[in-house]
Structure formats: structure tokens, C-alpha cells
Amino acid sequence: MTAQPSLSRRAAAELVGTAGLLVVVIGSGIKAAELSPDTGVALIANSFASAIGLGLIITLFGPLSGAHLNPVVTLTSWWSRRTGGEGLGGREALVYAAAQSAGAMCGALLAEVMFGRTPGTFATQVRDGGHLLIGEVVATAGLVLLIEGLGRIGRPRLVPAAVAAYIAAAIWFTSSGSFANPAGTVGRSFSDSFTGIAPESLPGFVGAQLVGGILGLALAALLYGTGPGGGRIAKAGAPAPVETTVPTALPETGPADGASPEKAAYETIG
């Protein structure tokens, strides 16, 4: 069995991965806005680059930390362990969330510097209104349901491509533009650019994302069942199980110190 990376290495992977994600999202938004005055064209370029970057980051960092890149995904992992399955302990979840938040802010500042802009300037684009918050609930619930659903039907290897495709689509089909990530949302407040969000809009967006995460978990339980394993039929990242007299290990039953590298490789966030 492959030894699980230490918590410090996993936290470093979450920090670097989330920073990379924010560089991609913000950087592509700045570039797109510079090259085209047409908002639609800029959004096409931004969503396309964001999806590709996200898929690559999940693939690269998944085997180390699970590439959560998102506190909502980390909280769903913590909840899985709380309900008798595999996932992160409370301390691990806090470390992950802190690393993701720090990484998001660092990535935003790096994107600003890379394009010759003054780092540390807060966004001025106010995003408020109930319809936008509903959009964030829908975007985040769909993300959590997608990750949970693919794991429970035994297709976790599809998660990197599926999550990337979902985020690209959700940027277009949700009213909010599918932030769907509390750490990423905070990071984007440090960039007064195409993808920025004003600090005063953060509480509503983050609250909506947390509600969406809970809704996504509830939908997964409704559709796939509850309890250890939640009805999952294959361990994430593992070969197809052979016939035995005892069910093979399910993704919700992992090592005591946190998520296994196999399942963790495909628990992500947009």
C-alpha cells in the first residue's frame, strides 16, 4: 500500500494547487478583458482557460492531497468521516481550509503582479441580489453532487474531467458565474478585475456556498443512500474489485488519519 503523504505535504499541495487555480481564473480573466471589449467573448476565454487549468491541477495534486482546493469539498470529506466513512479528521480539515484560503489570496496577488497591476487592490465589482445567491447555491450543490455521485457509482476516475467540464458549464448556466468555492471567492476579492468580487459581497456568496454544499450532500444521500460507503461500489482510484466473500473497501472507509491517496486523488473543487 502506498503511504499517505504527511499532513504538511498535503497542506502544501492544497496551498499551491489553490494558488494555481486563482492564477488561472484571475489571470485568464485579466487577459481576456485586455484582448476583447466584448464581455461574452471574454467570458468564453475565461471559462475555457479555467476549466482546463482546474482539470490539470486536480490531476497533478490529487494523488497528494485529493486536490480539494475548496473548503466546501473539505467539509464534505470531514462530514463523510463523521458519519462513519472515509475522510478527513477535524484537525486535518482545518489545516486544509487554512491552506486553501492562504493559497487563494497568494494566487490572486501573483496574478495581479504578473500582469503589471498593483497587488492588494480590493475588487469593486459588487455582486448582490437574491438571484445571484440562488445561483451560488445551485452551482455549489451541483459540484458536491457531481463529486459524490461519481464516487458512489464507482467512476471516481472521471472526476478531474467531469469537474472541469461542470465548472465551465456552470460559469454560463448560473446567474452568479459559479464561484462555488469560499476560498476562491475570498481570493478573488483581492483583484479588481473581470473575475473580482467586492469584499462586501463575500458574506452572501460564502453563506450561499455553504448552503449549497449541505444541499449537495443531502441530494447525494437521497439518491445514493446513507451510511458507511453511502452505497458506493468501488474504491476511488483503485482497480475494479474482484469477487470476494466480503465487500471490497469502499471510499468511505479509509485510514484513521485521513483520506486515502486513492480516493483523495479525486475529491476536488472548483
Side-chain angles (χ1 to χ4, degrees):
M1 176 182 292
T2 303
Q4 184 182 39
S6 65
L7 180 57
S8 60
R9 287 182 61 198
R10 286 182 280 147
E14 287 296 303
L15 189 151
V16 175
T18 310
L21 176 60
L22 268 290
V23 168
V24 171
V25 171
I26 295 175
S28 63
I30 294 173
K31 189 71 171 181
E34 287 180 350
L35 294 177
S36 175
D38 188 311
T39 302
V41 172
L43 189 58
I44 289 173
N46 177 240
S47 59
F48 185 69
S50 298
I52 293 176
L54 176 59
L56 292 174
I57 290 170
I58 293 170
T59 301
L60 179 62
F61 291 100
L64 290 174
S65 66
H68 293 193
L69 314 176
N70 186 336
V72 167
V73 176
T74 294
L75 286 174
T76 63
S77 177
W78 170 79
W79 181 253
S80 292
R81 182 163 177 171
R82 289 272 299 176
T83 53
E86 177 185 281
L88 297 177
R91 175 171 172 267
E92 291 174 305
L94 287 174
V95 170
Y96 266 47
Q100 292 155 1
S101 299
M105 289 184 282
C106 290
L109 296 176
L110 177 57
E112 292 284 295
V113 171
M114 186 168 60
F115 281 90
R117 298 159 59 93
T118 302
T121 302
F122 286 113
T124 57
Q125 185 173 356
V126 177
R127 301 175 188 262
D128 57 15
H131 64 292
L132 297 183
L133 300 185
I134 291 173
E136 276 302 283
V137 171
V138 171
T140 312
L143 176 64
V144 171
L145 178 59
L146 176 65
I147 295 169
E148 289 289 310
L150 286 175
R152 297 184 189 207
I153 64 175
R155 296 184 177 180
R157 293 184 184 275
L158 297 178
V159 167
V163 168
Y166 174 79
I167 292 300
I171 287 173
W172 283 91
F173 75 71
T174 62
S175 57
S176 63
S178 185
F179 284 49
N181 182 336
T185 302
V186 172
R188 287 163 72 164
S189 71
F190 285 85
S191 175
D192 191 16
S193 63
F194 182 74
T195 58
I197 178 172
E200 57 263 39
S201 299
L202 292 179
F205 264 59
V206 172
Q209 290 156 3
L210 294 176
V211 171
I214 295 171
L215 179 59
L217 280 175
L219 287 172
L222 174 66
L223 295 171
Y224 302 105
T226 59
R232 299 186 185 184
I233 61 174
K235 191 168 185 177
V242 296
E243 183 177 354
T244 61
T245 57
V246 179
T248 52
L250 301 178
E252 295 292 345
T253 55
D257 61 345
S260 71
E262 292 86 358
K263 181 195 180 240
Y266 300 106
E267 282 193 344
T268 72
I269 161 116

